[in-house]
């Protein structure tokens, strides 16, 4: 294939799209990246605001299991571009990585902006063009890609295309899910986009909400059905969110969709066993308030005590009147009734997307020859911790390689 013979459009300038563009440029394709936003990588920059978590260092079998039902569909792509390859890629851009205490992998700069700048420079040197403020709206009757631009409608002929438009979380950063209708109209099965790594609504009392909104629950353990994990959560005005909540969000969301509610149990002192708690709570309270007694005897924060009070009120019990055994039991199994899922616009990511049965092994949409898809457009979800970015990078690589393979085997589209 000569350079002049291949013209590939990549739609979406996030991690999946940019990685596909890099692979295609390395394969001698002429690549143009289209994006509706005024600049590339906006959600990538948002992901790095608190420290860019690129991937995770855990062994690959455990790593793949984080993708739940989609793991078998993503395995080949992640095997072909695993976490170590992503780390090498980052280092080649001048951003070496390190493994944090949690096993998460970060660039040493701890930011997304230096990595993105270096990446865009490399893409520019490889001849990748960018057409920003170009919103994709489908195809015309001749099969050309249609865009809305500041200068009016534009039709683009391409030999192949990679769709990497993201899901529907944080739409102000460019991923609004508008592509779902376009593909559905072409007969492509798309699972509904749902919030993932999201918060949940709780009917807090006015007193609890006004006093503890924004307060963290630290060093807790959460359990829901057979699932249990350690972490932190944050009380919000509408409910609860945070890393530990996000890790259980798929199971909690499905339960709420099925039953309208879900009961999450919170262990406030998971490192203290029942007998020890009973012993501490059996001590004399003296003249101190019950809240102070709990703070000292069980080392509970004010928000943790407030959470116990919420649970006692909901159960029609008096917290201060509980026997030590009952109180100890409640401390490490506080029921929190989740009444709904926080809106997708505030979710870190989204579930749903193009069903994997619609794709071939090279990430081409079967009903649309020459059109490939990657990233969060696909029907997978994963917890935070580097899995989201790794999945996006790896599927971007796979789609880019898929395009090159297809063009060799089938020849350019006419």
């Amino acid at each position: 294939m000569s350079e002049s013979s291949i013209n590939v459009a990549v739609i979406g300038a996030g991690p999946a799209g940019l990685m596909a563009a890099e692979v295609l440029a390395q394969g001698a394709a002429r690549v143009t990246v289209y994006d509706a936003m005024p600049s590339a990588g906006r959600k990538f920059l948002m992901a790095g605001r608190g420290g860019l978590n690129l991937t995770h260092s855990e062994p690959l079998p455990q790593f793949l299991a984080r993708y739940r039902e989609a793991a078998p569909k993503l395995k080949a792509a992640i095997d072909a571009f695993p976490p170590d390859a992503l780390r090498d890629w980052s280092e080649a851009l001048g951003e070496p990585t390190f493994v944090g205490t949690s096993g998460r992998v970060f660039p040493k700069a701890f930011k997304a902006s230096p990595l993105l700048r270096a990446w865009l420079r490399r893409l520019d040197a490889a001849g990748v063009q960018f057409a920003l403020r170009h919103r994709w709206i489908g195809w015309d009757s001749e099969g050309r890609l249609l865009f809305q631009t500041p200068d009016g409608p534009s039709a683009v002929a391409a030999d192949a295309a990679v769709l990497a438009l993201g899901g529907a979380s944080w739409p102000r950063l460019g991923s609004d899910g508008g592509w779902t209708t376009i593909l559905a109209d072409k007969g492509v099965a798309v699972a509904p986009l749902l919030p993932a790594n999201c918060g949940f609504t709780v009917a807090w009392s006015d007193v609890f909400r006004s006093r503890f909104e924004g307060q963290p629950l630290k060093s807790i353990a959460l359990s829901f059905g057979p699932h249990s994990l350690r972490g932190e959560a944050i009380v919000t005005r509408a409910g609860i969110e945070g890393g530990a909540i996000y890790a259980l969000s798929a199971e909690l969301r499905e339960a709420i969709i099925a039953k309208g509610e879900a009961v999450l149990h919170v262990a406030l002192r998971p490192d203290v066993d029942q007998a020890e708690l009973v012993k501490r709570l059996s001590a004399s309270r003296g003249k101190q308030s019950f809240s102070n007694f709990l703070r000292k005897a069980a080392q509970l924060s004010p928000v943790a005590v407030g959470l116990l009070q919420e649970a006692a009120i909901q159960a029609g019990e008096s917290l201060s009147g509980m026997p030590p055994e009952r109180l100890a039991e409640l401390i490490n199994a506080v029921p929190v009734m989740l009444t709904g899922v926080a809106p997708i616009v505030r979710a870190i990511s989204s579930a749903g997307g193009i069903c994997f049965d619609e794709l071939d092994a090279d990430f081409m949409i079967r009903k649309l020859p020459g059109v490939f898809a990657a990233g969060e457009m696909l029907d997978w979800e994963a917890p935070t911790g580097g899995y989201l970015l790794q999945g996006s990078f790896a599927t971007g690589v796979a789609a880019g390689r898929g395009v090159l393979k297809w063009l060799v085997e089938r020849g350019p589209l006419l």
Side-chain angles (χ1 to χ4, degrees):
M1 294 182 296
S2 67
E3 182 177 347
S4 62
S5 68
I6 310 167
N7 177 31
V8 182
V10 174
I11 305 176
L18 295 180
M19 188 57 87
E22 181 170 342
V23 170
L24 288 161
Q26 289 170 350
R30 286 186 293 122
V31 184
T32 302
V33 178
Y34 299 86
D35 198 278
M37 303 305 287
S39 59
R42 290 205 164 192
K43 194 172 179 184
F44 184 61
L45 291 174
M46 171 68 84
R49 268 200 343 189
L52 181 64
N53 184 191
L54 272 177
T55 187
H56 202 285
S57 63
E58 68 185 350
L60 206 53
Q62 289 94 309
F63 189 99
L64 284 167
R66 306 293 185 179
Y67 297 94
R68 306 174 73 235
E69 295 87 352
K73 305 293 187 180
L74 293 172
K75 184 178 186 304
I78 293 175
D79 281 345
F81 191 77
D84 284 346
L86 180 51
R87 296 184 68 181
D88 291 343
W89 171 86
S90 180
E91 184 162 2
L93 283 170
E95 296 296 328
T97 60
F98 72 96
V99 180
T101 55
S102 64
R104 299 182 179 198
V105 175
F106 302 89
K108 287 186 177 178
F110 214 58
K111 297 177 182 177
S113 51
L115 182 60
L116 181 61
R117 284 196 298 269
W119 194 6
L120 293 175
R121 284 195 298 269
R122 184 156 78 183
L123 291 172
D124 179 66
V128 174
Q129 301 292 310
F130 284 82
L132 302 173
R133 295 188 173 89
H134 278 58
R135 179 176 296 278
W136 180 61
I137 55 174
W139 294 269
D140 67 9
S141 59
E142 298 176 25
R144 295 177 300 180
L145 297 162
L146 288 177
F147 297 92
Q148 289 177 341
T149 80
D151 299 321
S154 174
V156 174
D159 296 315
V162 176
L163 305 181
L165 290 119
S169 61
W170 291 99
R172 65 183 180 84
L173 300 177
S175 299
D176 60 11
W179 54 266
T180 56
T181 302
I182 299 172
L183 292 185
D185 287 347
K186 291 289 186 179
V188 178
V190 179
L193 298 180
L194 300 170
N197 291 296
C198 56
F200 294 87
T201 58
V202 181
W204 301 127
S205 68
D206 291 340
V207 171
F208 182 84
R209 180 187 297 109
S210 62
R211 184 173 178 190
F212 297 115
E213 177 186 356
Q215 293 294 307
L217 289 160
K218 297 184 176 182
S219 302
I220 59 173
L222 300 181
S223 60
F224 178 70
H227 308 283
S228 182
L229 56 89
R230 301 288 186 97
E232 296 187 4
I234 298 173
V235 173
T236 67
R237 184 164 192 81
I240 192 167
E241 61 182 36
I245 299 292
Y246 302 153
L248 290 173
S249 63
E251 290 78 17
L252 293 170
R253 181 192 67 232
E254 296 308 312
I256 291 171
I257 290 172
K259 301 178 181 178
E261 61 187 27
V263 178
L264 178 69
H265 286 90
V266 181
L268 298 170
R269 293 305 315 278
D271 294 319
V272 183
D273 65 26
Q274 174 87 355
E276 177 61 23
L277 273 177
V278 170
K279 179 181 176 182
R280 295 183 188 184
L281 297 169
S282 298
S284 173
R285 193 171 109 194
K287 294 182 179 180
Q288 62 187 323
S289 69
F290 192 63
S291 291
N292 276 337
F293 171 68
L294 288 177
R295 181 174 59 83
K296 294 178 181 178
Q299 285 83 54
L300 295 177
S301 65
V303 65
V305 175
L307 195 67
L308 288 173
Q309 289 281 13
E310 286 284 286
I313 292 169
Q314 288 292 323
E317 299 180 76
S318 166
L319 192 65
S320 60
M322 288 182 185
E325 293 78 11
R326 165 66 179 139
L327 188 53
E329 180 183 279
L330 183 62
I331 285 172
N332 274 338
V334 185
V336 178
M337 176 67 76
L338 309 181
T339 58
V341 184
I344 197 168
V345 295
R346 291 296 309 276
I348 290 176
S349 59
S350 56
I354 300 171
C355 298
F356 277 98
D357 287 346
E358 297 287 347
L359 305 174
D360 69 11
D362 295 313
F363 289 82
M364 185 172 74
I365 301 175
R366 299 179 195 274
K367 293 179 175 127
L368 301 170
V371 179
F372 295 71
E376 212 176 325
M377 287 185 75
L378 308 180
D379 185 15
W380 61 275
E381 63 180 304
T384 57
Y387 310 103
L388 292 167
L389 279 176
Q390 179 71 52
S392 293
F393 279 115
T395 56
V397 170
R401 290 173 178 169
V403 170
L404 295 174
K405 177 183 173 184
W406 183 79
L407 288 169
V408 168
E409 293 178 348
R410 302 286 297 272
L413 291 172
L414 298 178

